[in-house]
């Protein structure tokens, strides 16, 4: 085990979290999954000033840091906090809405609810609820769509700042094919987004994501304005949707007849490259797949949503192997769960339907380091490495009777972890830390 205990004086300000530790050192889509991980059945993570100060065997860390406050998680598995690289907080209230496919689902459920975010009180209440649900599920960082209303972004950023969370978000830009109360125009969308960047980007652990919703709800002029804004603020992210359903793709072809394909619409307007995050990216042409890889554009895999809204089976492993940065996402509330465990289960089931099961290391990677890379935060979060921010989760691999009896038969950590990926929910998320501060404590603690 590398990164072993550091010598020297210990301090009361140090926190030592003990449990099993599981570290993914390399991308399991590129190296054999078994070769990329380090598991310690009695390990520890030392936290100092909000960061991971050391990872190593529990006994060595205890000996080297005798004054550190100890939180012993027993057999729970200490992993990085989950990173959700695509979610819509305003859709919390309409999660689990029945029977529609994408365009009808947007019109019937999503847009009426998003209209309510003109009210800052509603936005504030939903922002708090969204962050509560994230933390209960071990999601310590996310890249989030707000609504067209700047106050919806203010509400989420303020709530995340107060909790000290790492979070990226943006006000949606839409100037056509949406109800009047949900549209801006190219100038207003640009200027309101620029004002939000000035107000929030870089404060605490917050970042801004320029957020044209998707090609059908933006004119070419608005996409140009979004591209210009991102070019002026290149350390922001850019998030949008790509090739989720066939009807949507046909609509984009009608709306943008001059462009080669759906991804080409974004490329032509400066909306591709590292830090651009394409939600879904299911029905891609060979050119689009190659262009995603060549430009270094990220993809947010949204498996529960892709099943729930009936969108299709994304070839996320193929994209990852061709060099596209891929992360895992709840896509709340087109997605059907706030649980990243449920999201990993769905990703696994979709990979089975494609005939190539994802390894648990690949699932865990996408839910942590993969999403962090898509958000260009892989030097800050997503792995158990010295120097990274101490956003951590303790996973109980025996949280329910069915998981406990399955874990008891497991021959290795992967088998036990996989059982909780398939069977688990927020009950398996025993404790959560954000920047080293407790956000969820074990029952009775
Ligand atoms: N495409 C454009 N907007 C949305 C949205 O809110 N959810 C999903 N799943 N797809 C979209
Ligand atoms: Zn989405």
């Amino acid at each position: 085990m590398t990164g072993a205990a550091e010598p020297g004086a210990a301090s009361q300000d140090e926190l030592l979290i003990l449990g099993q530790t599981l570290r993914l050192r390399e991308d399991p889509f590129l190296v054999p999954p078994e070769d990329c991980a380090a598991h310690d059945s009695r390990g520890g993570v030392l936290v100092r000033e909000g960061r991971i100060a050391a990872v190593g065997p529990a006994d060595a860390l205890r000996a080297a840091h005798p004054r550190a406050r100890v939180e012993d998680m027993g057999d729970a598995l200490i992993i990085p906090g989950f990173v959700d690289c695509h979610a819509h907080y305003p859709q919390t209230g309409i999660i689990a809405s029945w029977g529609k496919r994408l365009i009808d689902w947007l019109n019937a459920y999503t847009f009426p609810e998003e209209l309510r975010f003109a009210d800052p009180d509603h936005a504030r209440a939903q922002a708090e609820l969204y962050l509560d649900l994230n933390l209960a599920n071990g999601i310590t960082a996310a890249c989030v769509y707000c609504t067209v209303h700047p106050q919806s972004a203010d509400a989420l950023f303020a709530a995340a700042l107060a909790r000290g969370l790492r979070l990226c978000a943006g006000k949606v830009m839409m100037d056509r094919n949406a109800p009047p109360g949900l549209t801006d125009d190219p100038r207003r969308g640009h200027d309101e987004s620029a004002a939000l960047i000035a107000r929030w980007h870089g404060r605490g652990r917050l970042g801004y994501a320029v957020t044209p919703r998707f090609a059908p709800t933006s004119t070419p002029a608005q996409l140009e304005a979004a591209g210009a804004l991102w070019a002026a603020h290149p350390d922001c992210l850019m998030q949008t949707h790509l090739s989720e359903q066939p009807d949507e793709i046909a609509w984009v072809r009608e709306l943008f007849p001059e462009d080669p394909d759906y991804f080409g619409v974004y490329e032509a307007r400066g909306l591709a490259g590292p830090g651009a995050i394409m939600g879904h990216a299911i029905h891609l042409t060979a050119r689009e797949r190659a262009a995603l890889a060549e430009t270094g554009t990220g993809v947010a895999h949204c498996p529960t949503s892709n099943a729930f809204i009936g969108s299709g089976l994304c070839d996320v492993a193929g994209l990852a192997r061709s060099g596209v940065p891929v992360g895992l996402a709840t896509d709340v509330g087109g997605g059907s769960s706030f649980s990243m465990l449920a999201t990993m289960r769905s990703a696994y089931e979709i990979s089975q339907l494609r005939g190539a099961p994802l390894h648990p290391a690949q699932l865990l990677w996408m839910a942590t380091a993969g999403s962090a890379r898509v958000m260009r935060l892989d030097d800050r979060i997503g792995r158990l490495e010295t120097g990274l921010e101490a956003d951590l989760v303790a996973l109980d691999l025996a949280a329910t009777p069915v998981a406990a009896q399955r874990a008891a038969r497991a021959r290795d950590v992967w088998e036990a972890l996989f059982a909780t990926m398939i069977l688990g929910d927020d009950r398996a998320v025993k404790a959560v830390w954000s920047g080293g501060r407790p956000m969820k404590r074990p029952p009775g603690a």
Side-chain angles (χ1 to χ4, degrees), residues 135-158:
L135 289 169
N137 283 285
I139 296 171
T140 50
C143 196
V144 188
Y145 289 63
C146 304
T147 66
V148 74
H149 316 96
Q151 57 269 39
S152 72
D154 286 327
L156 183 67
F157 280 129

Side-chain angles (χ1 to χ4, degrees), residues 34-45:
E34 294 78 9
D35 297 347
C36 69
H39 172 237
D40 189 339
S41 58
R42 192 60 188 155
V45 178

